[in-house]
């Protein structure tokens, strides 16, 4: 069964030099994933990337 998108997701943005670290945490399970990207990347794109990775990770746990 494929896991649907998590309802509550919390994002944390941490600048590290010329990059930004984005953590996405599922509010229901506490599962966390991290992505890194150049600091100039649009916030919406970073959130989308982190959300897709989180959704993938949750689906892996459902197996």
């Amino acid at each position: 069964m494929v896991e649907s998108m998590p309802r509550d997701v919390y994002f944390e943005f941490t600048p590290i030099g010329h990059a930004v670290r984005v953590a996405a945490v599922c509010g229901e399970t506490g599962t966390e994933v991290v992505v890194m990207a150049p600091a100039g990347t649009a916030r919406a794109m970073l959130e989308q990337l982190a959300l897709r990775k989180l959704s993938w990770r949750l689906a892996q746990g459902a197996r």
Side-chain angles (χ1 to χ4, degrees):
M1 182 170 145
V2 175
E3 183 75 24
S4 62
M5 292 284 208
R7 287 183 229 152
D8 295 323
V9 177
Y10 302 97
F11 295 98
E12 177 184 46
F13 295 83
T14 306
I16 302 173
H18 295 288
V20 62
R21 176 188 185 270
V22 182
V25 181
C26 175
E28 297 171 15
T29 65
T31 302
E32 179 179 1
V33 296
V34 173
V35 297
M36 299 219 26
T41 306
R43 183 180 177 110
M45 184 177 271
L46 293 170
E47 287 182 0
Q48 179 185 31
L49 177 63
L51 182 58
R52 288 180 64 194
K53 185 173 181 179
L54 179 60
S55 296
W56 176 83
R57 178 63 185 103
L58 291 172
Q60 294 299 308
R63 288 185 179 185

